[in-house]
Amino acid sequence: MGNCFRKKQSTNKHSSEIAPSSSSFDNLSTKKPLVYLHGDSSNSATHYLRFALQYKPIILRFIPTDTTSFTLRFDSAAGEAVSGSAETLIRFVELKFPVPAIVRSERTAFEEVVLRMVELQHRSVMWHMERVARWGKDMATRGGREVFDPKVGTPRMEVVKLGKSYGNLLEVLLEHAQMEERILFPLLDAADPGMCRCVNEEHARDLPIMNGIKEDIKSIGVMVTGTSTHQEALCSLSARLNTLLDNCRDHFNEEEINLFPLLEAAELTEEKLRKTVERCIDVMQRTHSHFFSFFIQGLLPHEAIQYLDLMMTCVNKERVSSMLHLLVE
């Protein structure tokens, strides 16, 4: 997480740049085959397919066509090609390039769609939270001093980047909490009043910490680098980030183990479950538009695809098409 304008001696990625899927490519050959995808650019299935294929160790080139089916063509002497539906092409690529996996054999039962949606949102938030906490710890350890990473820049530039990353995380985290408070907690409280009192209190407990971290980052950004005051502020920021990380981990575990599984006992119909997911997405509007790429970055490849599958099952086609378009354009 360092910064300077001298030439780097290492080609390793900085921890702030590594997505969950990055480690999957560590042992793969750097020589990737060139693959052409032919499909209708206005079709949401095309966006879905283009996004899914981005995880595979290939160089993908998209060729717009006006056909409803898709063709995947390899730029090789053999001229290998396969045509069919998006599902057919994904199965083919999954067999040809099994790492990283983008499809899991187990399917989410429909009565579990709300729980799985929440779990995947928790996974993304926790990945970003852990990343920001590591970043803050690294800055505190260095005392704000520079290291060899021109992509991050000067110490002040690094603070700005940290602030932007945390700001994005805060937006997603706040919308997630609002979604639970407006949609999911009332469903459970209707079945057993007071069931969600403790988790609601935890939301209120963490809000001052979340906003305080944002203000701390702003203050550090205008301090003189390397002073004792600056170093103390970095240590304090790191401690608060770790407190929030621990609180989020405990809170999410409590919800996933003891609370949201009880939604199944509420015996919601399939239509009610579908509408519940759609209402959740309504509340988390910015997460699923402006911050959607950021949110998806925090998921493993198969988790990202599963989240999109849940959206395509429960959310109207126009909204899903817009979400998918954000990921590939």
Side-chain angles (χ1 to χ4, degrees):
M1 230 50 80
N3 43 33
C4 109
F5 295 112
R6 291 168 292 211
K7 186 175 181 179
K8 287 194 296 182
Q9 301 302 312
S10 171
T11 58
N12 292 336
K13 278 189 176 183
H14 191 284
S15 59
S16 69
E17 301 168 346
I18 299 175
S21 60
S22 297
S23 60
S24 302
F25 294 95
D26 288 348
N27 297 320
L28 296 179
S29 170
T30 56
K31 187 176 182 180
K32 301 176 182 178
L34 178 60
V35 180
Y36 295 94
L37 171 65
H38 301 257
D40 183 358
S41 60
S42 64
N43 188 345
S44 60
T46 305
H47 303 324
Y48 176 89
L49 190 54
R50 289 177 64 189
F51 173 73
L53 294 178
Q54 287 176 357
Y55 286 115
K56 293 300 184 180
I58 61 176
I59 300 172
L60 186 65
R61 297 285 184 268
F62 176 60
I63 309 296
T65 64
D66 56 2
T67 60
T68 56
S69 62
F70 302 96
T71 298
L72 204 61
R73 180 172 55 84
F74 287 76
D75 186 26
S76 62
E80 186 177 16
V82 60
S83 297
S85 65
E87 185 178 357
T88 298
L89 267 61
I90 285 180
R91 284 201 306 266
F92 172 81
V93 173
E94 190 78 336
L95 289 172
K96 192 173 183 67
F97 304 101
V99 179
I102 58 175
V103 177
R104 285 289 187 263
S105 57
E106 67 271 15
R107 296 285 181 175
T108 300
F110 203 88
E111 59 268 21
E112 297 175 352
V113 293
V114 176
L115 175 60
R116 189 56 181 155
M117 176 195 70
V118 172
E119 288 175 342
L120 290 172
Q121 290 179 5
H122 288 172
R123 299 296 173 275
S124 177
V125 168
M126 283 305 299
W127 182 82
H128 283 291
M129 190 70 246
E130 289 168 355
R131 170 179 172 269
V132 169
R134 286 195 306 270
W135 195 344
K137 181 180 179 180
D138 181 59
M139 291 175 67
T141 301
R142 289 187 278 112
R145 291 187 296 275
E146 299 180 12
V147 295
F148 296 97
D149 197 343
K151 288 184 179 180
V152 175
T154 66
R156 188 157 289 161
M157 292 165 68
E158 183 177 13
V159 173
V160 171
K161 290 177 184 292
L162 174 64
K164 180 179 179 181
S165 185
Y166 179 75
N168 292 344
L169 170 61
L170 185 59
E171 290 274 359
V172 173
L173 191 53
L174 288 173
E175 280 200 336
H176 175 80
Q178 291 167 3
M179 174 273 291
E180 292 180 339
E181 293 166 4
R182 296 180 189 178
I183 311 298
L184 300 186
F185 293 170
L187 279 176
L188 291 167
D189 279 333
D192 187 350
M195 182 187 299
C196 301
R197 179 177 55 83
C198 288
V199 286
N200 254 319
E201 290 173 353
E202 289 174 359
H203 282 188
R205 173 202 64 192
D206 289 335
L207 188 58
I209 301 175
M210 293 155 59
N211 289 331
I213 290 171
K214 185 177 181 179
E215 294 306 313
D216 285 350
I217 295 173
K218 287 181 181 178
S219 298
I220 291 170
V222 297
M223 290 181 180
V224 178
T225 304
T227 62
S228 59
T229 302
H230 181 251
Q231 292 176 3
E232 289 172 6
L234 287 173
C235 290
S236 176
L237 172 64
S238 178
R240 296 183 79 168
L241 285 169
N242 279 303
T243 296
L244 181 59
L245 173 62
D246 291 340
N247 288 354
C248 285
R249 183 183 293 112
D250 293 343
H251 178 78
F252 291 166
N253 286 339
E254 171 68 19
E255 289 182 334
E256 292 178 19
I257 296 171
N258 298 321
L259 188 64
F260 289 136
L262 295 175
L263 281 169
E264 188 173 347
E267 298 181 344
L268 302 177
T269 65
E270 190 170 301
E271 182 61 24
K272 179 71 171 178
L273 287 167
R274 184 178 285 107
K275 287 184 177 179
T276 298
V277 171
E278 190 150 23
R279 289 175 62 208
C280 290
I281 304 308
D282 284 339
V283 175
M284 299 183 68
Q285 191 273 330
R286 283 174 62 78
T287 297
H288 293 85
S289 55
H290 186 68
F291 299 106
F292 195 50
S293 293
F294 173 85
F295 168 78
I296 288 292
Q297 181 192 17
L299 297 174
L300 290 165
H302 73 275
E303 292 174 334
I305 296 302
Q306 187 178 38
Y307 195 84
L308 294 180
D309 288 342
L310 291 175
M311 296 299 100
M312 294 175 76
T313 300
C314 301
V315 180
N316 70 74
K317 292 181 178 179
E318 290 76 16
R319 173 175 282 179
V320 171
S321 179
S322 176
M323 290 161 58
L324 290 168
H325 188 265
L326 288 169
L327 298 177
V328 296
E329 298 298 339

